[in-house]
Amino acid sequence: MIVPRIVLLSLIASISVANAADCPRKDALGTSRVMTVDPRAFPRVGFKSFPQSLPLADREVVLTFDDGPFPPTTAKVLATLASECVQATFFLIGRNAEANPDIVKRIATAGHTIGHHTWSHRPLDRIGESQAIEEIDRGIAADEMALHGVARRIPSTPFFRFPGFASTPSLLSSLQSRGIAVFGADLWASDWNPMTPEQQLNQLIERLDNRGKGIILLHDTKAQTAKMLPAFLQHLRRNGYKVVHLVAPRPVRSSLNDR
């Protein structure tokens, strides 16, 4: 896709170094910068599924977590991220958000970005377009209800990830027309497969060191990931990697009461 020059210049102008509060741990990894991602310029990102990704420099990574919130493990992931003063993006399942609104608010209060991952994680390429759109919209509404107390289907943060990366051309076009950016990934931990935290760490480090940068997919619902995460963040810090935090343009809509 060729990004229109005016939109690209707008996007580049919105990328800035984070002015976060001082981290209590001076040796922490920290968040290097904040990148504002405009869906007009980057409607689909992640080399797993698409021909382009985000404009990251070498040794820059974006941390993303899918499928939460799940209290036992999401709490541990949040604690680890806080200890290293790192921000991430959480793609929530709507029914999990509905069941755990306090954790959704905790994620947002900690400064993380909340994206959307359908209502129940059904494979959207297998259920028909009308059902797929309902899965997407119901998930967004549940996430928004947990965050803002309004079950609207216009996301306050227009970031979405397909379960299992299972998109269709028509659904991609529909989301783009609504101004919702679709996130794939550049590398992942394969943490949907059972393995020890040590095995997962070694696999993820190998993949990252081979690629050198990218959007990383993890799952905050996995105990092995929660146990692996502290060592992985230490690897990032010790090897000169920088964490980039993603946010949406503001304001996305003029009112949270929009439906």
Side-chain angles (χ1 to χ4, degrees):
M1 184 196 74
I2 298 175
V3 180
R5 179 177 174 81
I6 188 171
V7 176
L8 182 57
L9 291 175
S10 174
L11 175 84
I12 293 172
S14 69
I15 298 175
S16 60
V17 176
N19 293 314
D22 290 341
C23 185
R25 277 186 50 216
K26 297 304 180 183
D27 64 339
L29 173 61
T31 298
S32 175
R33 66 185 178 109
V34 174
M35 177 184 291
T36 301
V37 178
D38 189 332
R40 296 171 301 169
F42 289 93
R44 305 161 195 170
V45 294
F47 288 123
K48 170 67 174 70
S49 305
F50 308 116
Q52 73 170 357
S53 193
L54 295 173
L56 298 172
D58 289 343
R59 291 189 175 268
E60 284 190 332
V61 299
V62 173
L63 300 176
T64 69
F65 294 87
D66 282 10
D67 292 3
F70 182 60
T73 49
T74 302
K76 293 177 182 177
V77 166
L78 290 173
T80 297
L81 295 174
S83 73
E84 292 287 349
C85 298
V86 166
Q87 266 70 52
T89 299
F90 288 77
F91 290 91
L92 305 184
I93 292 178
R95 65 183 181 187
N96 291 349
E98 182 178 86
N100 301 284
D102 290 344
I103 298 182
V104 176
K105 291 183 177 69
R106 180 179 168 188
I107 293 170
T109 299
H112 304 293
T113 294
I114 290 180
H116 310 282
H117 200 44
T118 75
W119 164 253
S120 65
H121 208 273
R122 297 176 70 189
L124 300 189
D125 61 337
R126 302 179 188 175
I127 61 175
E129 185 167 355
S130 62
Q131 290 186 59
I133 290 173
E134 176 60 23
E135 266 283 313
I136 293 169
D137 286 350
R138 188 179 178 189
I140 291 171
D143 297 342
E144 293 295 315
M145 184 68 185
L147 270 174
H148 303 297
V150 179
R152 68 197 201 111
R153 299 189 175 202
I154 299 174
S156 52
T157 300
F159 295 169
F160 178 80
R161 180 177 274 149
F162 281 88
F165 305 118
S167 64
T168 69
S170 61
L171 290 173
L172 288 170
S173 295
S174 174
L175 289 166
Q176 183 171 353
S177 72
R178 295 169 61 182
I180 298 174
V182 174
F183 283 78
D186 299 319
L187 62 147
W188 47 93
S190 298
D191 55 356
W192 48 84
N193 296 319
M195 66 183 86
T196 68
E198 293 75 19
Q199 289 171 327
Q200 183 172 313
L201 176 65
N202 292 335
Q203 179 172 261
L204 183 55
I205 287 174
E206 180 180 4
R207 291 173 177 176
L208 176 58
D209 288 349
N210 285 337
R211 180 169 286 277
K213 63 180 179 179
I215 303 167
I216 300 174
L217 168 62
L218 300 163
H219 291 79
D220 57 303
T221 57
K222 301 296 184 180
Q224 67 200 42
T225 298
K227 292 178 181 177
M228 178 276 300
L229 189 60
F232 180 61
L233 297 185
Q234 290 170 19
H235 173 83
L236 295 181
R237 176 168 53 84
R238 291 170 181 167
N239 290 274
Y241 286 98
K242 305 295 184 182
V243 175
V244 176
H245 178 44
L246 306 182
V247 298
R250 299 295 185 191
V252 175
R253 300 293 181 191
S254 61
S255 171
L256 286 179
N257 292 323
D258 291 342
R259 293 299 195 277

